[in-house]
Amino acid sequence: MNFGLSDEQVLLQDAIRGFLEEQTPLDNIREFAADGNGLQANIWQGLIELGATGVIIPEQFGGSDLGMFDATVIMEAIGRTVAPVPYISTAVLAPIALLGSGSDAQQQDWLNKISAGDVTFGVGLTEATGVRRDAGLTLADGKISGKALFVIDGLKADQLLLAVGTDTLVMVNANASGLTRNRLNVSDKTRGMAELLLDQVDCELIGTPGSATDTIARMIDAGRIGLAAESFGAAEILFYRARDYALERNQFERPIGSFQSIKHLCAEMIADLEPCRSLIWYAAYAYDELPEEVSLMACHAKANTQEIAKVVARSATEIHGGMGFTDLMGLHYWLKRIELNRQLLGGPEATREAAARLQGLVA
Amino acid sequence: MNFGLSDEQVLLQDAIRGFLEEQTPLDNIREFAADGNGLQANIWQGLIELGATGVIIPEQFGGSDLGMFDATVIMEAIGRTVAPVPYISTAVLAPIALLGSGSDAQQQDWLNKISAGDVTFGVGLTEATGVRRDAGLTLADGKISGKALFVIDGLKADQLLLAVGTDTLVMVNANASGLTRNRLNVSDKTRGMAELLLDQVDCELIGTPGSATDTIARMIDAGRIGLAAESFGAAEILFYRARDYALERNQFERPIGSFQSIKHLCAEMIADLEPCRSLIWYAAYAYDELPEEVSLMACHAKANTQEIAKVVARSATEIHGGMGFTDLMGLHYWLKRIELNRQLLGGPEATREAAARLQGLVA
Amino acid sequence: MNLNFSEEHENFRKEVQAFLKEHKATAPTMKAVNGTSAAPTPEVKRWQKILIENGYTARTIPKEYGGYGGETDLIKGLIIQEEFIAADVSTGLTGQGISMLVPTLLELGTEEQKQKWVGPTIRGEVVWCQGYSEPGAGSDLASLKTKAVVEGDQFVINGQKIWTSSAHFSDMCFILVRTEPDAPKHHGISYLLMPMTTPGIEVRPLVTITGDAMFNEVFLTDVKIGTDQIVDQRGKGWMVANATLKHERGMIGNPAQTEANLNALIKLMKTETCDGICAVDMPVFRDRLMRLQGRLLGLKLHSLRLLSDDLNGKAPDHSGLIVKYSTAYLNHELYSLGVDVMGELGTLYDGDAYQSELDWQKMFLGSFSSIIGGGTAQIQKNVISERGLGMPREPRVTLDSKGWAMM
Amino acid sequence: MNLNFSEEHENFRKEVQAFLKEHKATAPTMKAVNGTSAAPTPEVKRWQKILIENGYTARTIPKEYGGYGGETDLIKGLIIQEEFIAADVSTGLTGQGISMLVPTLLELGTEEQKQKWVGPTIRGEVVWCQGYSEPGAGSDLASLKTKAVVEGDQFVINGQKIWTSSAHFSDMCFILVRTEPDAPKHHGISYLLMPMTTPGIEVRPLVTITGDAMFNEVFLTDVKIGTDQIVDQRGKGWMVANATLKHERGMIGNPAQTEANLNALIKLMKTETCDGICAVDMPVFRDRLMRLQGRLLGLKLHSLRLLSDDLNGKAPDHSGLIVKYSTAYLNHELYSLGVDVMGELGTLYDGDAYQSELDWQKMFLGSFSSIIGGGTAQIQKNVISERGLGMPREPRVTLDSKGWAMM
């Protein structure tokens, strides 16, 4: 029995973390945020070269067929570095969509491109996890119209995968006629979120209309696990930065980390945070091995991690004192990533309610 | 302007607190709890002699016609000493019922008796604030049948005031034929809570059937304010006992109150608790002077105070270490009073929902 | 309990209402007056002058120094606040010069200093910034290292300040510097008045979590000012600054503002939907809202009690010390709920088309500054427990590398 | 990630299941085995003997001392726990003698002590209580004052112990006493084995918040025991006790029990109503339930990871130190929710007719003992931050009357 990473997964983790850390000194993150596109070509290219885009894609389509657990290891590393890459959308959600509902030709075509790093995807699932304002899509005569809000990584993606209602998936080319793509000004500027306005836009169906309910549910499960992993990675970095700062920073002739208030705050943070690691790992493992458990675990992994990561981010900021909320320290990039992830694919209240529903506790 | 007690109210507070403190050394409280009736004759008699039972009763019925604010001062003192007296039921809820819906004869008869201390009341309002299990009363042909649960101070009371549904009030004599009165084994043994089983019991209507909706609402408002005041008094005692203990108790060659963890816990407790005083005072003042504000204030005073008092009670227990949950220290009598009050006339969730409803926020 | 005002005060309220009715139309906006990004415009200065003349700001500052010269009357102060907020009209400038320097000078300045600075400051003609915190001196402000050496009749100042809001458009800075390096740390500090135009001052904006530069860093290299530009004596600056900090405390924690935010939140929750369901119709959000309302009401009424206690001459206790701490977290949670009920839309800010009327994301991010600024929660809790509850001071110890106390 | 068991372990599981199938009917109830109010009955001792013979308890204790003599196998231990819990059958006695004294003797006792005490203790023939805490020595256990003076070949013990659960029916007590009053406090303590029948011992029940006397005070007046009744040497008792405390840590925080409680809570919420509405249909309660479930799952899987790390020889870090702290509060909140969903009925306890299947009020009240016992939250957080996170130790300072450190 081994609850945790295999030796190979440790190597993968080291490789991905090492590469991303090298690419993301604070000055670079500042540049990425100023750019605001959520897609840094050199980092993305590096991940492709490390094989990261193919981990859940079968070998026949150029992937390494490892599984969601490996993808989760990668997403945690992305959270640790707030790396601006469309990983969750392109390398996790799109392959799940294609493997779940795509035709043989679509799988052949797009999965190979994803493995090879020849395409990026934006994914719009808010139709299935919570419709806001006047968002909503309609499909008629093979054309799609309406508005898609909060398309993840959609700002610069080549292809856009969209849920129509909760049962239909379509793919739209980013250059399609009738498509307007607008930047959404989220406070986390390391992810390119988009609003899409569609007026009779050509689209490609992924599966037949009405047939993608299960696939969309799988995408939501995987997305929740991935967002939780990202937020966990970000929160863990914030925690250790705060602990380290507390040991370095002197006030009143002693390190502030020697004050019991700071020590105990750190103890509370790690006591809450550490179990999230196991919960996320298990949820990812369940995705790969225990399909009957995954949805519940994904809900709890996301809700629990997001609640805790939010408090950890606040506490880490507080331990840094005033410096904590300056751009000089840059903690806010991690905090904002956590805040954005909190809301994507269902906030904590919504995911807890989904967890209750899965257990038959909602009348 | 004076937000607080008048000079006369300070005198009243001193007199009631002084008397109750004298009567309730810990050894006495242990005896009262072993007895478990919630009515200690000598304490009750002392309160009567201090005029406490008549504070909201007009002078024409032997009262002093002071108001709810004064009654709240008394209930806070009762909470500070966990005194086993049927004050809230006899001196607050029963007069409100009689003044609101009683006939002239009923007012003349019972209010004079209450002022003079010649009668005690138990009050059952759970019909109007939340029906549990098979509780429920029916009124037919002037006889009352069914089950009343959680009749406050009902165990030893002479008269029982019961809400039938949310719009009718009846009074039953404790010795009436067909009435069975059972002790409810609540963990707070300083209050005599009763279950009543009624089989065709003679009753006296307070007002006509269906006419007491407003009166019952006023009783609930007053009850919530009074319970909040009691819990505030209990929590304030627990807080100061914990602070004082922390200054006395040495571990590691220093008072535990010099450790930042204990200091900060005390700071958090008082920061949360202190505003409750003003909220309760204002709610009581609103009862007397601002009828359009009272219900909302009563809900918030109870919900907010009960949530905070619960945490204060837990923290005070923790600061005392193991001794905190022994009968040697006796903190648990105050904690249990807080826990019981939390549930009476609507727990925090229910009272917050009631607050929302009052503002038109519930669809 | 008596929450009624006297006839004098009710009359005063009518006066204020009449004033507002007459002048509301010509008053500058709240944002124009209280924005922190530029010096007061002529229009704002004109408004400030009217307010002083009518005693609605600088009310208790003596006439001889340019104020209204009224007596201290907390109730009138309250009435002014209430009526101006109700009318959505600004009660005038609130910068650090007016709120902190002026009371300090009135208490400890020379007659010449009062004459020179009070009037122009309250009229908005001279804008001040505060030079207290340093990168290495935050919670432990007395450990500040910026030093001033006397050369002839000048102080020569070298060092760095941080969190200097409004430094980029201030005329003057009241600054703490170390003038007696050999004295114990609290006794080696002086309080100086430094023109921001003095050569050697470099102001760099300090970008924060909100993306805005509300604060600055100020670098000081051989900055020379006259030795007469000192308040009180050399080495007494810590005492002078504490007089100033005392004045600052009243500035923080405004329940009226929090109440306005709560009302905005209720409005938001009545309109914002998810899957067609209004936020206010989601019981879990509604319960969070009611929790916040309960806490707000507690703090609001607590503040009213504090005012009443002050009026009635009650000795202050812990009650006043809890307000900043509690208010900061309450606001933070209130903004968090605003973001949560908007879901993904709640992460949008700074003019995005999908925002609601208020920028909840930016208010949420900005609230870190209130939680930490003016003393972290840890410092606040020390103050509450030590000064308010009579618990022991934090021991001053030196630790070795393993964290053991060196005795 | 590999959560599968080896074939050997899957076979072992089948063995356990077969054992349980055969013996379940004759096993004593959980309460009979693990109740803390009386010494083991003959029936319980019979069951304990069967369990030892089959290696389901005392598994790794050498045969020569009366144990099963198996090798350490955490997975088999886990399988035993899982299967016995699933079958609702007790895994045997768990008193402080078995969980704390026996491992300590095996590590530090003489051959004679092991021969004399281990076998009878694990068979339930000798029941032990723990004599550590004193009224003045709780968090700071090393400040204990109960003293033992050597007179001839006897220790003469005087003092008082507290929190001595099972003292009223124990045969023996392992007790910490101060034997070297002039040594530094951690170096003056000895660990003795004291028969509870010795003259001079008075046991008084200590009533707690639940109304039960789960604990005792033990008063010791001129209690005389042989000088050979010592484990390890004089003055080494602190080290011996820490070896024991190390064994205690594994006892606290059982996610399987918490999970059983959560399942009971779900069942309760499906049946308990207010105004005819089920608790589970009240969204605010449901949300609280789901929060607790999320935290429980985290802790449960965290515990599984700890087991796996232990199996795979990973060096322990902070991860193991958080379990007691987190579990205690989680249980407390879980019981609180149980009380809240029952409303007024939730305040009833101890056999009241309106209670639900479980006594939520009593579990809630009893949970204070888990929060505080074995180290308050403050002590736990010190341990997590110091040992787990490498943060500085609490400085040892002496304060004067104003709370200033005496340096």
Side-chain angles (χ1 to χ4, degrees), chain A residues 327-340:
Chain A
D327 196 53
L328 291 175
M329 281 281 173
L331 300 182
H332 65 96
Y333 296 107
W334 283 260
L335 182 146
K336 288 169 180 169
R337 175 68 72 103
I338 290 168
E339 289 292 331
L340 174 58

Side-chain angles (χ1 to χ4, degrees), chain C residues 1-35:
Chain C
M1 198 93 158
N2 170 13
L3 299 186
N4 298 320
F5 294 117
S6 68
E7 201 182 322
E8 180 198 344
H9 286 127
E10 289 300 352
N11 287 336
F12 180 74
R13 186 185 295 279
K14 282 178 202 144
E15 277 173 42
V16 178
Q17 289 168 339
F19 170 87
L20 285 165
K21 198 171 170 191
E22 185 185 337
H23 290 89
K24 184 174 164 49
T26 60
T29 64
M30 287 276 191
K31 201 173 169 185
V33 181
N34 301 120

Side-chain angles (χ1 to χ4, degrees), chain B residues 2 7 23 110 114 137 155 163 178 187 206 218 220 240 330 343 353:
Chain B
N2 175 28
D7 293 346
Q23 297 290 318
W110 294 109
I114 292 169
L137 299 175
L155 190 59
S187 63
I206 309 291
R218 290 281 278 172
I220 292 169
Y240 282 105
Q343 307 301 344
E353 186 71 349

Side-chain angles (χ1 to χ4, degrees), chain B residues 55-359:
Chain B
V55 292
I56 69 162
I57 295 176
E59 291 179 12
Q60 66 188 106
F61 305 121
S64 52
D65 201 15
L66 294 170
M68 179 57 65
F69 194 90
D70 299 80
T72 300
V73 166
I74 294 168
M75 288 186 281
E76 190 211 292
I78 289 169
R80 290 169 67 90
T81 51
V82 292
V85 285
Y87 186 82
I88 196 171
S89 44
T90 305
V92 179
L93 301 178
I96 293 169
L98 292 158
L99 288 166
S101 293
S103 66
D104 289 351
Q106 284 171 331
Q107 292 184 1
Q108 186 67 33
D109 186 8
W110 294 109
L111 291 174
N112 275 303
K113 281 187 182 153
I114 292 169
S115 301
D118 293 337
V119 66
T120 56
F121 277 84
V123 177
L125 290 176
T126 52
E127 283 278 284
T129 56
V131 178
R132 304 253 166 208
R133 307 273 175 100
D134 57 345
L137 299 175
T138 50
L139 179 65
D141 305 327
K143 305 263 186 183
I144 189 142
S145 297
K147 178 191 281 188
L149 252 176
F150 272 85
V151 178
I152 299 174
D153 298 330
L155 190 59
K156 294 288 156 184
D158 306 316
Q159 295 289 328
L160 302 156
L161 262 171
L162 305 174
V164 182
T166 58
D167 60 6
T168 301
L169 271 173
V170 299
M171 182 164 55
V172 173
N173 186 288
N175 298 316
S177 158
L179 170 66
T180 312
R181 173 156 63 168
N182 295 321
R183 177 190 297 267
L184 289 171
N185 193 23
V186 289
S187 63
D188 173 13
K189 307 224 174 295
T190 62
R191 179 161 268 161
M193 305 299 296
E195 167 201 59
L196 306 182
L197 305 176
L198 304 105
D199 182 14
Q200 298 280 326
V201 177
D202 282 332
C203 68
E204 194 173 324
L205 273 160
I206 309 291
T208 53
S211 71
T213 303
D214 290 351
T215 300
I216 290 172
R218 290 281 278 172
M219 291 169 78
I220 292 169
D221 288 343
R224 285 173 174 164
I225 296 166
L227 292 167
E230 271 195 28
S231 295
F232 176 80
E236 197 177 20
I237 288 292
L238 287 175
F239 169 74
Y240 282 105
R241 281 188 66 178
R243 194 269 315 256
D244 293 349
Y245 184 80
L247 294 178
E248 274 165 29
R249 165 87 173 170
N250 282 290
Q251 290 283 274
F252 306 105
E253 289 85 45
R254 47 193 278 204
I256 61 170
S258 72
F259 285 101
Q260 212 180 23
S261 58
I262 302 292
K263 287 167 62 178
H264 284 195
L265 191 53
C266 287
E268 290 164 14
M269 289 159 81
I270 199 68
D272 287 343
L273 188 58
E274 191 60 53
C276 294
R277 186 196 313 276
S278 306
L279 183 50
I280 293 163
W281 279 357
Y282 187 81
Y285 171 78
Y287 189 96
D288 291 330
E289 305 286 343
L290 308 166
E292 72 285 4
E293 290 190 40
V294 61
S295 294
L296 181 63
M297 290 296 159
C299 286
H300 278 310
K302 178 150 196 291
N304 199 43
T305 304
Q306 291 296 157
E307 297 280 23
I308 287 164
K310 184 182 178 78
V311 177
V312 167
R314 183 176 89 182
S315 299
T317 305
E318 284 190 45
I319 288 172
H320 281 79
M323 295 308 287
F325 60 91
T326 65
D327 196 54
L328 291 175
M329 281 281 172
L331 300 183
H332 65 96
Y333 296 107
W334 283 258
L335 182 145
K336 288 168 180 169
R337 176 66 73 102
I338 290 168
E339 289 292 330
L340 174 59
N341 287 354
R342 177 183 176 89
Q343 307 301 344
L344 295 177
L345 304 186
E349 286 80 8
T351 33
R352 282 194 295 269
E353 186 71 349
R357 196 172 294 111
L358 286 163
Q359 297 170 85

Side-chain angles (χ1 to χ4, degrees), chain D residues 126-199:
Chain D
V126 174
V127 176
W128 295 77
C129 59
Q130 179 205 65
Y132 283 10
S133 298
E134 299 182 4
S139 296
D140 182 14
L141 182 59
S143 69
L144 59 90
K145 289 200 170 60
T146 293
K147 65 179 176 189
V149 179
V150 174
E151 289 182 8
D153 60 354
Q154 292 189 309
F155 284 115
V156 182
I157 308 171
N158 279 282
Q160 184 194 343
K161 294 291 175 181
I162 196 169
W163 306 118
T164 323
S165 53
S166 74
H168 49 302
F169 61 86
S170 288
D171 305 296
M172 294 289 297
C173 176
F174 50 101
I175 184 170
L176 291 180
V177 295
R178 187 160 301 283
T179 50
E180 332 293 309
D182 301 326
K185 73 178 183 180
H186 292 82
H187 296 91
I189 295 169
S190 296
Y191 185 109
L192 308 182
L193 308 178
M194 178 180 78
M196 290 299 284
T197 49
T198 321

Side-chain angles (χ1 to χ4, degrees), chain D residues 19 77 161 284 325:
Chain D
F19 170 88
K161 294 291 175 181
V284 178
Y325 165 74

